[in-house]
Amino acid sequence: MRLPVLALILPIHCSAAEIPPGSHVLLKMVNSVTTRTAKEGDYVYMRTASPIVSAGQVVVPEGTYVQGVVSQSRQSGRVKGRAEMMIKLTTMIFPNAYMVNLNAVPGQAGTGGGETVNSEGKVVGDSDKKGDLGTVIGTTEAGTGVGAGVGAAAGHVGEGAGIGAGVGLATGLAAVLLTRGPDAELPRGSTVEAVIDRPIFLDADKVQFTGPGQASALAGPPNREPVRSSRIPF
């Protein structure tokens, strides 16, 4: 009589490292993105600007690639409405080609300009109200000067100045109304901080790094002032 063979099935334990929710990931832009040209589906490329440590060990070295995609891009209006751009961070690519899904959005950004990031993760462009006012005032004053000169030559000083002021005001308003407000930009070298809102589990065997990684040599973006688009938007 043969005894039945009992198969002993042992559970397989996979070791994993975790990037816990609430972790901050500092990134640096490799390419530039702007609402002037960006379209939904355009790729965005970044690299981690600091290592990520879990349980006392580096699990994401500095210089790790992060890929994202533009999910929304809108230029500012001619009268109101700021430029907006939504970027989703989709994939983290390690130096050994190991890849994980990231599924995060920016929380802060250092662009060298006046861009901000709202609570939804949208990069919002600066406004140029000060510049708009300066355009109107400057053209009005110029028109006043020209009008005064023409009026004086014709013997109607006050009347010429009034006409010149009106022409200058109209020109200044046209310059504002026929151009768009500043674009939202993430120039090359901008820093972007993402906050992980869910745990990300990593294969511990593939994140055995002995050093913090390699720092990026990309310089930060220069300081920028808001500039309206010079093209007439039809």
Side-chain angles (χ1 to χ4, degrees):
M1 179 178 178
R2 299 184 62 184
L3 295 175
V5 177
L6 299 178
L8 181 62
I9 301 177
L10 298 176
I12 299 175
H13 296 281
C14 296
S15 58
E18 178 188 354
I19 302 177
S23 297
H24 291 246
V25 182
L26 185 62
L27 307 167
K28 183 168 281 193
M29 293 289 299
V30 175
N31 65 327
S32 299
V33 185
T34 170
T35 52
R36 185 170 55 255
T37 57
K39 303 180 297 298
E40 183 178 341
D42 286 353
Y43 288 108
V44 180
Y45 302 97
M46 310 177 185
R47 298 184 77 167
T48 56
S50 62
I52 300 175
V53 177
S54 177
Q57 179 172 341
V58 173
V59 293
V60 181
E62 185 173 359
T64 298
Y65 283 100
V66 171
Q67 183 173 302
V69 65
V70 175
S71 58
Q72 180 184 340
S73 178
R74 187 188 73 181
Q75 286 187 281
S76 62
R78 285 172 284 182
V79 179
K80 64 178 181 179
R82 299 189 184 190
E84 292 183 344
M85 179 168 47
M86 174 71 86
I87 294 175
K88 290 185 178 180
L89 310 177
T90 57
T91 309
M92 182 176 287
I93 307 170
F94 291 77
N96 57 5
Y98 175 52
M99 293 185 290
V100 296
N101 292 330
L102 191 55
N103 192 23
V105 295
Q108 296 183 34
T111 67
E115 286 81 3
T116 57
V117 180
N118 67 15
S119 58
E120 298 176 350
K122 289 182 181 178
V123 179
V124 181
D126 198 357
S127 67
D128 193 24
K129 292 181 179 179
K130 182 178 178 181
D132 294 348
L133 181 61
T135 298
V136 173
I137 292 175
T139 51
T140 301
E141 290 177 345
T144 301
V146 172
V150 173
H156 305 286
V157 177
E159 183 178 342
I163 293 174
V167 172
L169 177 61
T171 303
L173 289 174
V176 171
L177 295 176
L178 294 179
T179 57
R180 294 186 184 274
D183 289 296
E185 298 184 50
L186 288 175
R188 176 180 168 90
S190 297
T191 54
V192 176
E193 185 180 78
V195 180
I196 305 301
D197 60 0
R198 62 177 179 81
I200 297 178
F201 296 101
L202 309 172
D203 186 336
D205 293 334
K206 296 182 179 179
V207 291
Q208 298 289 332
F209 301 104
T210 58
Q214 185 173 358
S216 171
L218 288 175
N223 292 331
R224 296 176 291 114
E225 294 293 333
V227 178
R228 296 184 69 91
S229 170
S230 60
R231 294 178 296 177
I232 299 177
F234 293 120

